[in-house]
Amino acid sequence: MNVYVFLADGFELVEAMCPIDMLRRAGADVLTVGLNPDLKVTSAQGVAVLADVTLDAMPDRLPDMVLLPGGMPGASHLQDCAAVCDTVKAVFDKGGLVAAICAAPFILGELGLLAGKNATCYPGFEDRLVGAVLSDRKVVRDGNVITAAGMGVALPFAAELVAALFGRDKAEALLSAVQTA
């Protein structure tokens, strides 16, 4: 299973790294894609990370899942990037999984991908979830869309991503392993 995680300056570190870690533990082929011309991307907390590839080097094939971490202004930078939005729409249109956490679900809403779907986000972004049925749950999966409210639920969000790709048993086993370590 292939997953692209888009990283832009100002992303929320935990909302990206926790899912990346859990997905890789589950056996997913996770590719971090940085929006900068070099591989360095700086989180909203000032932590610099190196993406696996830049947008220019992103493979032509569509992944099974795309993940948009929140954080500001990271989520706004993702929305402003045509290549990110085009990839998200293409994955959604082919029935692939689209996941966003914290502020980032607004990108899905404004792309028209949440129409009639249950979704959640960081408080204050609800009006940007265009067409969504707002949920008070912290992690919501509706078909091929998975949304979460923020950093505090990064681990349950990551587990839901694993469940979507590999099944609930694998997700529960991973959660159990990381929570007892």
Side-chain angles (χ1 to χ4, degrees), residues 35-52:
L35 272 60
N36 295 336
D38 61 3
L39 297 175
K40 182 181 169 190
V41 186
T42 304
S43 76
Q45 297 74 34
V47 178
V49 300
L50 295 178
D52 296 318

Side-chain angles (χ1 to χ4, degrees), residues 175-181:
L175 269 178
S176 178
V178 301
Q179 290 175 336
T180 58

Side-chain angles (χ1 to χ4, degrees), residues 121-128:
C121 64
Y122 189 78
F125 286 88
E126 295 88 353
D127 62 330
R128 296 181 73 182

Side-chain angles (χ1 to χ4, degrees), residues 5 14 25 131 133 141:
V5 180
V14 172
R25 287 174 192 249
V133 177
R141 180 174 179 196

Side-chain angles (χ1 to χ4, degrees), residues 143-169:
N144 62 333
V145 175
I146 304 168
T147 56
M151 183 189 75
V153 294
L155 188 57
F157 175 65
E160 190 61 35
L161 303 180
V162 170
L165 288 173
F166 298 102
R168 184 75 46 205
D169 289 345

Side-chain angles (χ1 to χ4, degrees), residues 1 7 37 39 58 63 71 102 109 136 143-145 173:
M1 295 290 175
L7 300 176
L39 297 175
M58 184 173 67
C102 193
D136 60 355
N144 62 333
V145 175

